[in-house]
Amino acid sequence: MATVKLGSKAEAFHLDGHSWICNTELPSDITIEIGEISFHLHKFPLLNRSGLLKKLISEYQDENGKGCILQLHDLPGRSRIFELVAKFCYDVKIELNSYNVAALRCAAEHLCMTEEYFGGNLISQTENFLNEIFGNWKDSMKVLETCGDLLPLAEELHIVTRCINSLAMKACADPNLFGWPMSARSSMKSSDGNILWNGISTEEKPKAIESDWWYEESSSLSFPLYKRLILSMESKGMKAENIGGSLIFYAKKYFRGLSRNSSFHDGTSRLNPVPPLSALSESDQRVLLEEIVGLLPTEKGVISTTFLLRLLRTAMILHAGPACRENLEKRIGAQLDEASLEDLLIPNLGYSVETLYDIDCVQRMLDHFMSINPTNLTGSPAIADEAQLIDTVPSLTPMTMVAKLVDGYLAEVAPDVNLKFPKFQALAALIPEYARPLDDGIYRAIDIYLKSHPWLTDSEREQLCRLMNCQKLSLEACTHAAQNERLPLRVVVQVLFFEQLRLRTSVAGWFFVSENMDNIDVVDNGNLIQPKNNERNPDNEITQEEKDEMPLMETDDMRQRIAELEKECKNMKKEIEKLGKPKSTWSAICKRFPRLGFGSRSEHQSSQT
């Protein structure tokens, strides 16, 4: 820390209770009162240095005969700083440092201690010291921290502005190039404390300074000063990633819920402590959060979706303004594909709590995501194999990831008995059909909702099941759906029908390969298929023994099985037309078609789909 000593005389003052007394043989002829402290001094040294004191002494009228008594209760820095001013006037040694120079500069300005009254007066001395300090990051930061109690005079003297400009310039520059943040450290030690030998580090290579080196120190500032520092850095070209990183660090330091592993730091400095969040009222906390949200960079992806969701949850707890919550919801919606299910489960903190989780908030974020990612595919895919369905849609696209996230969210909120059917249906319907390569997720969510809401009408059950495409269910999901009594009978039949068509497609493809097997040669590695009549390589013909070793299915049994399935399907359609309600006829269908696996129907847990 930079320090300078002014004056030459030894200590000439002593404190007696609440009074400072000058150690001279001459009696005091002036008393200056600041708060509860009194200074018993002499007029001549003060008249020689201060224009204000000279004016007050000349205008003073002694009516009680008690001598000259002046009150300076509004002096910047109060009695602690006036003690140093008095010593300077008496030419007693005082120490200038980064903790007192701003207060001394303001006090000197208040007392009019200019060169007009004394050469090398306190104003010029403190200005020279400030100019030296602005070249050092740590000292500039300490000066800025002390300015909070010196406003507005510190602002009028441009101390705050000069500190902020100096700090912003150093933060935006490459610290490895100039070494500004390291300048306050001892020159005889390396960055990790290793002793240097003849000024040369024993380290092979000095460690590079990370771009976040200024986060912690800047977070000790009061928010008004911190905000000005951030805006200054932004105007000087600071990267959005660094601006966002600093804001995240600042927010986590003063809001407990934003970091699960972090705890409150007091963030105090010597003269201007930043109050812990617990000392702030709810309204002050709300204002602080809204200000931080307003400073967040607008570029997509700079702030993680997880942190934005935690900010949104904190904003709801503090009842932040609608503009703040809408800002966060739009930011989250723009990058909803990066969200996690756990962070999306926001408790309902509204005044009229209907559901356990805030469904409306998630729907607004999803609406915003869909508005900036319009659906560009229409129509449903034709009947095809499961692998073909997956291949038709690019994997891990933002829309696909959001579809998976929403399906998982619907499954989590489905057990809530207070979740109304229209709200569940509206949220599920926002996802376009093409976004789901497989519909196992939406099927699981629908099944859980049906189980938790047994009072739904048949029409409502039908509407819910229209949200999924039975052609896009996996084999495991189809097996579960075929035995699920909660589903409408039409859906179960549809599942079985599409499974039969899928089986026919697979078998037809196998027959095509089998009929052409005799016309191809299979190379040993299994990757190259060549025509049998290859004159260049006639020895590659497949032998009858190799054909016998290949895992071929019995063609006669397969043809017979397909014929039986077609016959049973036709009979099932006729029976359904004759029968009434699904529940009353279910056992009859199961007895009539035992081959379809309807024999014993045990209820499956929804979480096992």
Side-chain angles (χ1 to χ4, degrees), residues 368-406:
H368 184 70
F369 175 83
M370 298 303 298
S371 67
I372 61 178
N373 294 276
T375 57
N376 52 12
L377 296 178
T378 57
S380 59
I383 300 173
D385 291 337
E386 182 175 315
Q388 293 176 335
L389 288 173
I390 297 177
D391 292 339
T392 57
V393 180
S395 61
L396 299 180
T397 63
M399 188 69 73
T400 302
M401 297 172 69
V402 169
K404 181 179 179 181
L405 180 67
V406 171

Side-chain angles (χ1 to χ4, degrees), residues 24-43:
T24 63
E25 297 178 356
L26 296 176
S28 172
D29 57 3
I30 183 173
T31 301
I32 297 180
E33 297 178 349
I34 303 177
E36 298 179 351
I37 304 298
S38 299
F39 293 84
H40 301 276
L41 307 172
H42 304 87
K43 294 180 181 178

